[in-house]
Amino acid sequence: MMQIGEDDWAETAPDAHEHPGFGVDVPKGTRGDLTPDAPLAKLVWFKSGGAADWLFEPADTEDLIHFLSGLEPGTPVMALGLGSNLIVRDGGIPGVVVRLGKPFSSVEVLRDNMLECGGGAPGILVASKARDAGIAGLEFLRGIPGTVGGFVRMNGGAYGREVADILVDCDVVISDGNLVTLPVEDLDYTYRHSRLTDDAIVVAARFRGAKGDPEVIGAEMDRIADERENSQPLRTKTGGSTFKNPEGAKAWKLVDEAGCRGLAKGGARVSEKHANFLINTGEATSADIEGLGEEIRRRVAERTGYNLEWEIRRVGRP
């Protein structure tokens, strides 16, 4: 790990023949941590995949803007949250992976039943803060295994609700270092999709709920937690729901109908507990996991006529 000081100019770009990825010139005054060839397997739920050319953990939003504005144009940038809903391919990720840590995990209660949340705040924290403040309508975030940045980007949802129902606006830093505030209307939300590109980093968001009873809100959160525990393989190396639900159908039922429950490839397996979850049984490569997913898609299309779309993001070099 490299700590960049206020008075340093650290030109970290190695010779192109020594490093397969992108070099990075770090602007003077960058305060965050920068790590070259950073292993990512330990940071993602599947516990598989290669390294990032560079992993940057900014000290705050200003530090992120400063760092990105000094990158060579065209350098790939990708945000990383809790590492759920993600396959990092075995060849690693080119360019810079930005991980929003503790400085981005705050949740503040505002007036009019609103919350202001950092892009790195996990869904369970947002839901808990809303409960304590008597703000209803955000309970479903208890069931989303990710951070604000991730579920704002993909219009995350669960238990009949989605982010489009509660988002007011969000602050986004794009890869050239510009900071913009986008109202929910500008995100063009559809099912598990927004107009935000991979290099757009959500650093904060405002959500609005409705006045509610903390005990009732808490009971609903407990119900969601119990349902997830009973129906999903939460205590395994998994990435969450693998495929989007096609219109008029449930992905897990289609996987079941195609005879894929328990199907395995290398160290990857379809969960016996929930057929829309893939699990790493121990030593699976990301190629095993992605290959299993593609085999499921092939069998489902052949036997049911549905073409399943990935809900899990797959990123990086094969």
Side-chain angles (χ1 to χ4, degrees):
M1 181 175 291
M2 184 180 302
Q3 179 73 31
I4 307 300
E6 286 279 354
D7 299 322
D8 298 328
W9 171 266
E11 188 173 275
T12 61
D15 183 89
H17 298 290
E18 298 175 359
H19 194 285
F22 286 77
V24 174
D25 292 334
V26 183
K28 180 180 179 181
T30 299
R31 293 173 284 119
D33 293 329
L34 184 69
T35 307
D37 294 313
L40 296 178
K42 63 183 179 182
L43 301 179
V44 299
W45 282 29
F46 273 124
K47 303 303 178 189
S48 68
D53 288 352
W54 300 93
L55 177 67
F56 181 57
E57 299 172 278
D60 51 33
T61 299
E62 289 184 0
D63 189 44
L64 175 62
I65 292 170
H66 177 73
F67 175 80
L68 292 179
S69 64
L71 288 183
E72 184 73 20
T75 301
V77 174
M78 191 197 88
L80 176 66
L82 290 183
S84 60
N85 199 55
L86 184 69
I87 294 174
V88 173
R89 293 181 173 126
D90 299 309
I93 298 181
V96 178
V97 171
V98 175
R99 187 169 186 241
L100 303 183
K102 189 174 181 179
F104 295 85
S105 63
S106 64
V107 178
E108 181 182 354
V109 178
L110 307 178
R111 61 185 180 182
D112 299 326
N113 299 309
M114 286 180 57
L115 295 175
E116 182 167 35
C117 310
I124 187 172
L125 176 62
V126 178
S128 297
K129 288 282 190 178
R131 175 200 61 206
D132 295 346
I135 299 175
L138 282 70
E139 296 90 339
F140 74 98
L141 296 179
R142 173 66 178 84
I144 300 181
T147 58
V148 166
F151 54 70
V152 165
R153 173 193 303 280
M154 69 173 291
N155 190 21
Y159 304 97
R161 298 273 285 169
E162 59 186 10
V163 168
D165 299 326
I166 60 172
L167 183 68
V168 177
D169 59 21
C170 58
D171 299 333
V172 180
V173 178
I174 55 180
S175 59
D176 62 3
N178 283 321
L179 173 66
V180 295
T181 298
L182 300 175
V184 62
E185 295 83 6
D186 286 0
L187 297 184
D188 298 335
Y189 273 143
T190 55
Y191 175 63
R192 303 296 179 265
H193 184 266
S194 77
R195 61 172 290 196
L196 293 175
T197 55
D198 284 346
D199 61 352
I201 301 171
V202 178
V203 294
R206 266 74 52 187
F207 302 120
R208 176 179 281 120
K211 186 173 178 58
D213 182 337
E215 288 192 10
V216 174
I217 295 168
E220 174 64 6
M221 289 173 58
D222 290 343
R223 184 193 70 80
I224 289 172
D226 290 342
E227 186 171 327
R228 291 186 70 230
E229 180 69 34
N230 293 331
S231 65
Q232 300 176 11
L234 301 181
R235 303 185 188 282
T236 62
K237 300 172 184 176
T238 185
S241 295
T242 305
F243 302 109
K244 299 177 182 179
N245 290 324
E247 187 173 352
K250 294 291 188 181
W252 73 267
K253 287 186 177 181
L254 297 174
V255 176
D256 247 356
E257 289 173 16
C260 295
R261 187 182 292 260
L263 186 68
K265 178 179 175 60
R269 183 181 298 275
V270 179
S271 170
E272 297 279 2
K273 193 171 187 179
H274 193 309
N276 198 28
F277 281 66
L278 304 183
I279 60 175
N280 177 355
T281 62
E283 301 299 328
T285 65
S286 289
D288 289 340
I289 298 167
E290 186 172 6
L292 178 58
E294 287 300 319
E295 176 62 14
I296 292 167
R297 294 182 69 242
R298 185 190 70 77
R299 294 191 185 195
V300 167
E302 182 179 89
R303 300 186 191 185
T304 72
Y306 281 92
N307 292 308
L308 291 178
E309 294 183 30
W310 284 90
E311 183 169 326
I312 288 177
R313 293 174 65 207
R314 295 151 296 138
V315 298
R317 311 176 182 98

